Amino acid sequence: MEKRRKAQSVILIAAVVVVIILVLVAGKLIDKYMPSKEQADLLEYYGLTEGSAAAVIVDYEIVPQQAVIRDERVYLDYEVVKELFNGRFYWDGNEHILLYTTPSDVVSAEISGKDYYVTEEKHSEEYVIAYEEDDTAYIAADYVKKFTDMEYEYHKEPNRVVVTTDWSDDTVVLVKKDTQIRYRGGIKSPILASVFKEDMLILLERGENWSQVATADGIIGYIPNKRLGEEETKRYAHTFEKEEFSHILKEEPINMAWHQVTLPEANEKVADVISGTKGLNVISPTWFYLDDNDGGLANLSSADYVEYCHEQGIEVWPLVSNLENDEADSTEVLTHTSKRANMINQLMEAAVQYNFDGINVDFEALQTEAGEGYVQFIRELSLKCEENGMILSVDNYVPTEYTSFYNRSEQANFADYVIIMGYDEHYAGSDEGSVASIGFVKQGITDTLKEVPANQVILGAPFFTRIWTETPKEDNQDVEAAAEDYVPYELTSQAAGMKESWNMVSENEAKAVWSEEDGQYYAEYVKEGNTYKVWLEDAESMELRLSAAKENGLAGMSFWKLGLEDTEIWDTIIKYMD
C-alpha cells in the first residue's frame, strides 16, 4: 500500500512538472507568436522634446530639422527654409529685413510685422510674417508657400508638419483589414498607429513579408503584406506657377576684353588700346571699386570713352570691383541691405549718365559669410540692369569646393552672363606653374556647365603669364640635411605680357619646348645663379582655349587684359568669333 502511495506521488509530481513545462513552453510560444501591444513613444519617434517644437516630414521622410508652432501657426527657421524648401529667401540679420527676389521684384518684409512690399507696393497678411528670437529668424510656412512649390499640413499630438514638394505619382494601397503600423517590420516591433479597413496608405517600399508605408498625417512605418490590397497609382492635380527668368543675350559670340583703368587720364588712351584688336565687340574698363564701408564707389567713368567705343561698334560694360581699397570691408557692405542699395544706385546713376551697355561684377576673395549677401547683390543689381536694358555679367573663379558659396547656378538665374576667370591656376605666392594650363581650363568649363547653361557662359583667358624666379638660399648644407621638405631657393614671380615673356626667352637663348600636358610652350634658363621658368602664351595655347569654348557651345570669350597681348593673337581670336 505504501509503495502504491509513493508511486502515485511520483506520478503526480511528474504530471505537475509536465504541466509546468507545457505551460512554460506554451508561454514562450505565445510570447513568440503573439503580436506585441507595446505602443511607441511618438515624441521619441519624432525626436521632439519641446512643447512648441514640431517634427517636419518632407515627402515621406522625417528630417532632423524642426518647425516651431506659434499662435497656432507653423514657423520655419530661416536656415531650414533655405536648406529644404527655397534658397532664394534672404535674411538680413543686420537690418532685420526678410527679402525674396522674383524675376521682376524684390519682396521685403520687416520683422514681427504683417506687411510686406513688392518693390514699393504694400501688401498685408493675417499673420506675423517673420519673427526673430535668439538671433534666429523664423518665417511663417504660409509665407514660404507663397513663393515655393510646396504644400503642408499641420497635425497635433504630437506636433508635426507634413510637407509635400515632390509632385510625381505615388503608389498607394488600401488596407484590407484593421491592423497596426509598426516601427519596424515584425510583430514584436512597437506600434506607431492603428489603421483600419479601407484606409489609404502610401506604399514606399514593398518587402517580402512587410512593406514600408506612410500615412497622410506623417506616420512612416511597416505593415504586413497580408493586410494590404492591390497597388494603385495616385496622380496629383497640383499646379504651381514657376518663376520664369529672362536674359538679355547676344546673337553673335561675345568677343570681350578688360581694359585696366586706374587713373582718369588712362581713359584718353582707349583709341590706342583697341586699335590693334579685331572683332572686339565688348570692352570692360575697370571704372568702379568699393571705396568705403557704406557701399560708396570710386568712379573713373568717361562719357568720351563710351562715345568713342560706340562709334567703333563696341559695347561698354564697366567693371565694378572690391579689390582696390583694402580699407573697404566687402562683407560689411554685402550683408547690409541699405549698403548694397547704395552701391547699386551709384552704378545705375552712372549707367544712365554715361550710357553704359552693361555692368561687369568682379568681386573676388570674399569670405564665406559674405556669400549670401553677394548673391543677393547680384539678384538686386540684375533687376536694375534689366529695367535699364543693360546686360549684367559676373566674373567667377573656376569652380572649387571652397568657392561654392558664390552659387553660380543662382547667379545664372538673374545675371545674363557668367564669366569663368580661366586663369590664375598658379599665382603670386603659389607654387610655380602655368597660369592657365589647358586641363585647368577644360575642367573649369566642365564644372561651370554643371551649374550654368552654355549660352550664358563666357570663358576668360589670359594675355599674360608669370616669370618664375628661383633664387638660391644662403643657408648652409646643415639646414638642408636637417629637413626633408627643405627648399633650397626662394620662389618669386612677376606677371608679364605675351611679347615681353617671349623676348626674355629669346634674349637669354633659352629653348621653348611644347608641353602637351599644359597645352603651351615652356622654357627655363639660368642667369646670374638664378633659375627662371616660364609657361608661355601664344596663338597655339590660345587656340586650344578658343576651341574648347566653341566645342562646348559657350557664349564667347573675354581676355585679361588689353595691352598685354601680341597683336597678332587677334588673327587667331577672330577665326573663332565670326
Side-chain angles (χ1 to χ4, degrees), residues 322-339:
N322 67 326
L323 298 177
E324 282 68 25
N325 186 342
D326 293 337
E327 299 299 316
D329 186 337
S330 300
T331 301
E332 171 72 14
V333 173
L334 292 170
T335 56
H336 285 75
T337 298
S338 61
K339 297 179 181 184

Side-chain angles (χ1 to χ4, degrees), residues 102 104-110 113-129 143 146-147:
T102 73
S104 58
D105 296 284
V106 176
V107 183
S108 62
E110 294 187 3
K114 298 181 179 181
D115 299 331
Y116 66 96
Y117 293 83
V118 180
T119 305
E120 296 180 355
E121 184 180 344
K122 181 178 177 179
H123 299 260
S124 298
E125 298 292 352
E126 298 178 349
Y127 51 85
V128 171
I129 292 170
Y143 190 73
K146 288 175 67 70
F147 307 99

Side-chain angles (χ1 to χ4, degrees), residues 335-346:
T335 56
H336 285 75
T337 298
S338 61
K339 297 179 181 184
R340 291 194 307 273
N342 188 22
M343 277 198 296
I344 292 169
N345 289 339
Q346 291 171 77

Side-chain angles (χ1 to χ4, degrees), residues 483-533:
E484 292 183 4
D485 58 350
Y486 176 77
V487 178
Y489 56 82
E490 297 286 350
L491 180 65
T492 57
S493 71
Q494 66 181 59
M498 297 173 71
K499 262 193 174 179
E500 179 186 358
S501 57
W502 276 99
N503 287 341
M504 288 181 66
V505 170
S506 177
E507 290 168 3
N508 289 278
E509 300 181 347
K511 183 179 180 181
V513 179
W514 180 259
S515 168
E516 197 69 37
E517 179 181 358
D518 297 309
Q520 57 195 140
Y521 284 96
Y522 167 78
E524 67 175 80
Y525 58 90
V526 177
K527 182 178 181 181
E528 297 178 356
N530 297 333
T531 300
Y532 295 85
K533 298 181 178 181

Side-chain angles (χ1 to χ4, degrees), residues 119-176:
T119 305
E120 296 180 355
E121 184 180 344
K122 181 178 177 179
H123 299 260
S124 298
E125 298 292 352
E126 298 178 349
Y127 51 85
V128 171
I129 292 170
Y131 71 93
E132 186 177 15
E133 189 174 281
D134 298 328
D135 296 325
T136 299
Y138 295 88
I139 312 172
D142 287 318
Y143 190 73
V144 175
K145 195 175 74 168
K146 288 175 67 70
F147 307 99
T148 309
D149 190 5
M150 62 175 276
E151 296 289 344
Y152 80 91
E153 292 182 357
Y154 166 49
H155 301 274
K156 298 181 179 180
E157 297 181 0
N159 289 335
R160 57 198 186 277
V161 183
V162 180
V163 186
T164 301
T165 64
D166 182 357
W167 302 103
S168 55
D169 295 347
D170 278 331
T171 300
V172 297
V173 289
L174 282 174
V175 177
K176 293 196 299 186

Side-chain angles (χ1 to χ4, degrees), residues 376-425:
Q376 184 60 25
F377 169 58
I378 299 301
R379 294 183 187 117
E380 293 166 356
L381 178 58
S382 75
L383 299 188
K384 293 296 184 181
C385 285
E386 187 173 18
E387 285 177 15
N388 290 278
M390 295 166 47
I391 289 173
L392 175 62
S393 62
V394 186
D395 303 338
N396 281 271
Y397 299 110
V398 298
T400 59
E401 184 177 349
Y402 57 85
T403 62
S404 61
F405 65 85
Y406 278 82
N407 199 347
R408 296 164 187 79
S409 60
E410 184 68 352
Q411 286 185 33
N413 283 327
F414 287 88
D416 300 299
Y417 292 105
V418 172
I419 301 178
I420 308 171
M421 294 185 291
Y423 42 82
D424 285 341
E425 177 183 5

Side-chain angles (χ1 to χ4, degrees), residues 215-276:
T215 64
D217 62 352
I219 300 291
I220 302 165
Y222 291 81
I223 195 168
N225 288 342
K226 63 185 179 181
R227 296 288 187 260
L228 297 177
E230 295 296 321
E231 297 178 14
E232 300 176 17
T233 299
K234 178 182 179 182
R235 292 184 169 84
Y236 292 94
H238 172 80
T239 58
F240 179 81
E241 189 174 340
K242 292 187 177 181
E243 296 169 330
E244 296 291 337
F245 293 89
S246 61
H247 299 92
I248 305 173
L249 301 177
K250 296 293 184 180
E251 293 184 4
E252 69 277 8
I254 301 295
N255 187 2
M256 170 181 172
W258 287 284
H259 177 205
Q260 189 172 28
V261 175
T262 57
L263 295 170
E265 296 77 30
N267 289 318
E268 299 172 6
K269 299 180 179 180
V270 61
D272 295 334
V273 167
I274 66 176
S275 62

